[in-house]
Amino acid sequence: MGRTIAIGDVHGCDQALQALLEAVKPERQDLVVGLGDYVDRGQNSAAVIDQLIDLLPRCKFIPLIGNHEIMMFQGLSSRAEYQFWMQHGGTSTVMSYGGDPGKIPQHHMSFLSHCTRYHETEKYIFVHANYDPWLPMDQQQDEVLFWQHILDDVPAAHESGKTVIVGHTPQHDGLIRNLGHVMVIDTFCYGDQWLTAVDPDHGICWQANNRGQVRTGEIPVAVPY
């Protein structure tokens, strides 16, 4: 049996992603789910996409789409939306492609276009941002899945009884927020904190930062909200 591993928001942090993958060492039988927001804010979104494409044949890699990929697609198809994207981290993405959005390779766009809205296993649900606890996953609204943060208004456990693993809401202290029924693993890598991967079945987590430093440990004990 392979491992089930989730990776939080990368946001263009290619050095952290490289160090994290070297620590995790994904193998062919492992299921690895990327929670979206691979681009924007950090310095090298282009290199991040290259690394994720290289990951595809190494394991069962399921990349989810995040709101920053959505902004990227909208920005590349609309002048008005392009400015919105630039104001929310898109400038760094375009610069990683030489300052010209026309230089984004087609295979990068193809990879991003195949990212999925969510992924569900027997025990876990993986989404980018948030979820409606009373709806099955195929009925979730985009506003919730991609844009809604988990702050003080924590959703109840999902009706399926599965643990939900999300990114999107940055944890500025660089620590995983484990609420038991939902786990938030965007640990603010682009803000000079950590990029996180978790193996929930074995209670293990890995973190890497933009200096290539790595730390490993146990997933924090769930804290009631």
Side-chain angles (χ1 to χ4, degrees):
M1 292 290 292
R3 300 171 295 174
T4 297
I5 297 166
I7 298 176
D9 303 37
V10 184
H11 277 305
C13 297
D14 63 310
Q15 295 298 316
L17 179 61
Q18 180 178 340
L20 188 73
L21 292 175
E22 288 174 355
V24 173
K25 296 180 174 63
E27 298 180 352
R28 186 169 297 276
Q29 66 269 28
D30 294 333
L31 170 66
V32 178
V33 182
L35 295 182
D37 280 8
Y38 314 112
V39 302
D40 296 350
R41 303 197 187 283
Q43 295 302 305
N44 207 337
S45 295
V48 166
I49 301 304
D50 278 333
Q51 289 185 57
L52 296 177
I53 291 172
D54 289 344
L55 187 60
L56 288 168
R58 294 172 53 191
C59 60
K60 301 171 186 174
F61 179 42
I62 307 291
L64 306 187
I65 192 169
N67 62 303
H68 279 266
E69 285 77 45
I70 292 171
M71 284 191 287
M72 180 178 179
F73 277 112
Q74 292 174 340
L76 292 172
S77 61
S78 162
R79 183 179 297 274
E81 295 294 340
Y82 183 83
Q83 294 305 316
F84 182 80
W85 178 37
M86 292 299 100
Q87 294 167 10
H88 292 83
T91 301
S92 61
T93 296
V94 173
M95 290 304 296
S96 75
Y97 291 101
D100 181 358
K103 293 182 178 179
I104 300 175
Q106 183 55 46
H107 69 285
H108 281 204
M109 297 304 297
S110 178
F111 168 81
L112 294 173
S113 71
H114 285 87
C115 293
T116 60
R117 298 177 74 246
Y118 64 90
H119 186 69
E120 194 168 0
T121 68
E122 290 185 2
K123 296 172 61 177
Y124 304 106
I125 294 170
F126 303 92
V127 298
H128 174 63
N130 206 336
Y131 63 98
D132 185 323
W134 316 118
L135 292 177
M137 295 309 297
D138 60 1
Q139 295 181 23
Q140 298 280 331
Q141 299 297 308
D142 286 358
E143 174 65 26
V144 177
L145 284 187
F146 305 123
W147 297 93
Q148 194 174 92
H149 288 91
I150 296 180
L151 299 170
D152 294 330
D153 189 15
V154 176
H158 190 259
E159 62 166 11
S160 66
K162 299 176 181 181
T163 299
V164 184
I165 302 178
V166 307
H168 186 62
T169 304
Q171 306 303 300
H172 294 100
D173 58 5
L175 301 176
I176 296 166
R177 187 182 184 194
N178 184 7
L179 300 168
H181 65 284
V182 58
M183 189 185 307
V184 185
I185 67 168
D186 176 356
T187 45
F188 203 40
C189 185
Y190 75 89
D192 204 29
Q193 286 288 353
W194 299 88
L195 176 63
T196 294
V198 295
D199 174 350
D201 286 331
H202 299 99
I204 299 169
C205 65
W206 303 261
Q207 293 188 307
N209 63 23
N210 288 315
R211 294 177 294 281
Q213 297 170 320
V214 176
R215 63 186 188 184
T216 61
E218 297 180 352
I219 294 174
V221 174
V223 177
Y225 60 95

